[in-house]
Amino acid sequence: MAYELRPNQGSLFATKVKKTPKSPDYWGELLIDINTLEIENGVAKVKLGGWKKRSEASGNTFLSIQIDTWKPTNAQQ
């Protein structure tokens, strides 16, 4: 099954070859549903969760990331 990028989820993969010392150690994409963001004064604070996973196809490990959109209800506050 091919990888499908879904709203508020993404992945970070280890960089296999760093071209310069400033190259990132991990790279990837995160698809953000802007309707889930709380924006104040033009700035959005995004909480992330991450899970270490292994690709069944390649065997490579990667970090699966997800935006934490949980908000307490009145009963949970």
Side-chain angles (χ1 to χ4, degrees):
M1 183 167 97
Y3 173 75
E4 180 183 334
L5 197 58
R6 289 178 267 175
N8 295 332
Q9 295 183 353
S11 297
L12 291 174
F13 299 89
T15 301
K16 292 183 180 183
V17 177
K18 291 182 64 146
K19 295 179 182 174
T20 72
K22 292 185 177 184
S23 295
D25 295 314
Y26 290 86
W27 60 273
E29 294 182 318
L30 175 65
L31 185 62
I32 299 175
D33 176 354
I34 61 170
N35 294 313
T36 62
L37 298 179
E38 292 183 29
I39 300 173
E40 187 175 316
N41 297 324
V43 177
K45 182 178 183 179
V46 179
K47 293 182 182 179
L48 298 175
W51 296 262
K52 186 176 175 181
K53 293 188 175 184
R54 183 176 300 275
S55 167
E56 291 181 15
S58 68
N60 294 332
T61 57
F62 64 98
L63 293 175
S64 174
I65 55 177
Q66 183 171 344
I67 293 176
D68 181 354
T69 59
W70 182 84
K71 294 182 181 114
T73 63
N74 288 336
Q76 295 171 320
Q77 290 182 3

